[in-house]
Amino acid sequence: MKKILFLASLVWATSIFAADGETLFKTCATCHGAKAEKAALNKSQIIAGWDAAKITAALNGYKDGTYGGPLKGTMTPQVKNLSADDIKALATYISSIK
């Protein structure tokens, strides 16, 4: 629970300053890996290779509660404070990772 609260506070804090996908992704990288190559907590899909539209749909779905599998309860608090600009920036950045 402490890890979830810590990560949520990081997402919130970074979203205050700017919609910079690379900066925002640093919080995500804790579970998804520096290049989005990991299955978060060995339960999620690997997001490396996803296009921006798929990432945007997933993040918005987590935010509104319409998307998610085993990590839905973990991801929802992570995205709830992200703005539309933050989500766009994240989607653009993640889809560009090589």
Side-chain angles (χ1 to χ4, degrees):
M1 185 64 180
K2 288 180 184 179
K3 183 176 182 179
I4 292 170
L5 292 173
F6 173 73
L7 292 174
S9 66
L10 282 177
V11 168
W12 178 80
T14 54
S15 67
I16 286 175
F17 298 107
D20 171 30
E22 185 174 8
T23 299
L24 290 168
F25 185 73
K26 289 178 182 180
T27 302
C28 308
T30 303
C31 294
H32 287 282
K35 298 202 180 268
E37 79 284 6
K38 293 182 181 179
L41 305 175
N42 295 319
K43 295 180 182 180
S44 76
Q45 296 178 42
I46 295 171
I47 59 174
W50 285 20
D51 63 35
K54 184 173 182 176
I55 296 164
T56 299
L59 292 174
N60 282 321
Y62 278 123
K63 189 171 181 171
D64 67 21
T66 61
Y67 181 87
L71 295 179
K72 185 176 186 175
T74 301
M75 280 298 298
T76 299
Q78 302 305 312
V79 300
K80 76 176 188 172
N81 292 320
L82 294 176
S83 69
D85 287 340
D86 292 337
I87 289 173
K88 181 179 179 182
L90 268 171
T92 300
Y93 177 74
I94 294 167
S95 67
S96 75
I97 296 173
K98 302 288 184 225

